[in-house]
């Protein structure tokens, strides 16, 4: 069980601004290729779990729960580094992605241009993975 | 002057889900190096202006206004491609960044780890650019 009242942050650690809703967007980027894989939201607990486990955790706004990426699909993200932007209200996860990040079977959730052109690589069959 | 009632979208164009607040997060990525430069928010008008001009536009939540990246600093972003994620509620701008994306003078806003380590490259002096 995680402690609901975490200790004060170390002096050098950046105080993330989780804002009124307690969430910040987190961009997951492939640490090797640089491909932007997905964007999801993170609350304080999800960030703590990510740091503790080294695996990417997010907060699902629709299901209203903490969520470990790949817990169902096996397509986990090992987090090499967590960066924070200048305003400390956005995170960047540099990850080693197993399989694909997108539930559609694509490596990246950004597999379409806004004009509807398909530009992404499909790496698994979601009907098999999420059967 | 832009038309406040834009025409229906072309058949192949993805209908972006701007949600209740009319905004989606947009990640700007260097089209050549793959470096994630910044995250900002975009409303429908900002997306239209980006497409029309080929230069990145965002919506400032604090100033409550449309904003062209680099209008003050000269550090504009030429947008090569706009991608949309699987849920159509996040954008990815692939850009050619002039100078640096960050108002602190760094190439990327993500120039720190959450542990406070400095990892980014400083490319300009903000006291000169924003004098």
């Amino acid at each position: 069980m995680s402690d609901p009242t975490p200790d004060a942050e170390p002096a050098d650690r950046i105080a993330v601004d989780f804002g009124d809703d307690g969430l910040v967007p987190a961009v997951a980027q492939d640490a090797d290729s640089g491909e932007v894989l997905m964007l999801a939201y993170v609350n304080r607990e999800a960030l703590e779990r990510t740091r503790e486990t080294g695996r990417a955790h997010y907060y699902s706004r629709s299901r209203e729960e903490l969520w470990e990426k790949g817990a169902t699909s096996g397509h986990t993200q090992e987090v090499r580094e967590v960066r924070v932007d200048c305003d400390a209200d956005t995170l960047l996860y540099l990850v080693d992605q197993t399989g694909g990040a997108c539930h559609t079977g694509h490596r990246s959730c950004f597999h379409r241009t806004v004009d509807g052109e398909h530009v992404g690589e499909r790496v698994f069959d979601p009907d098999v993975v999420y059967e």
Side-chain angles (χ1 to χ4, degrees), chain A:
Chain A
M1 299 293 283
S2 63
D3 185 343
T5 53
D7 295 333
E9 293 170 7
D12 293 342
R13 187 162 166 193
I14 309 293
V16 176
D17 177 6
F18 286 100
D20 292 339
D21 62 0
L23 299 174
V24 292
V27 178
Q29 181 180 32
D30 187 297
D32 285 324
S33 72
E35 187 175 19
V36 174
L37 299 169
M38 58 181 279
L39 180 142
Y41 292 85
V42 166
N43 64 1
R44 191 176 298 276
E45 186 185 3
L47 176 58
E48 288 306 316
R49 293 290 288 275
T50 298
R51 292 167 59 93
E52 288 165 12
T53 64
R55 294 187 307 276
H57 288 69
Y58 302 96
Y59 181 83
S60 170
R61 297 180 300 172
S62 55
R63 298 194 306 273
E64 298 184 350
E65 64 181 17
L66 189 75
W67 160 58
E68 180 185 341
K69 176 67 182 167
T72 303
S73 65
H75 294 176
T76 51
Q77 294 175 338
E78 296 292 321
V79 177
R80 285 202 217 165
E81 191 170 286
V82 179
R83 294 190 187 169
V84 59
D85 78 346
C86 50
D87 299 324
D89 61 3
T90 303
L91 301 177
L92 177 64
Y93 284 179
L94 299 179
V95 307
D96 294 319
Q97 172 72 57
T98 299
C102 188
H103 73 286
T104 62
H106 292 83
R107 178 83 179 158
S108 166
C109 294
F110 297 94
H111 53 268
R112 299 174 300 176
T113 71
V114 75
D115 293 318
E117 186 188 355
H118 186 264
V119 291
E121 180 192 5
R122 200 153 187 206
V123 292
F124 70 89
D125 181 345
D127 291 340
V128 172
V129 169
Y130 300 103
E131 65 179 342

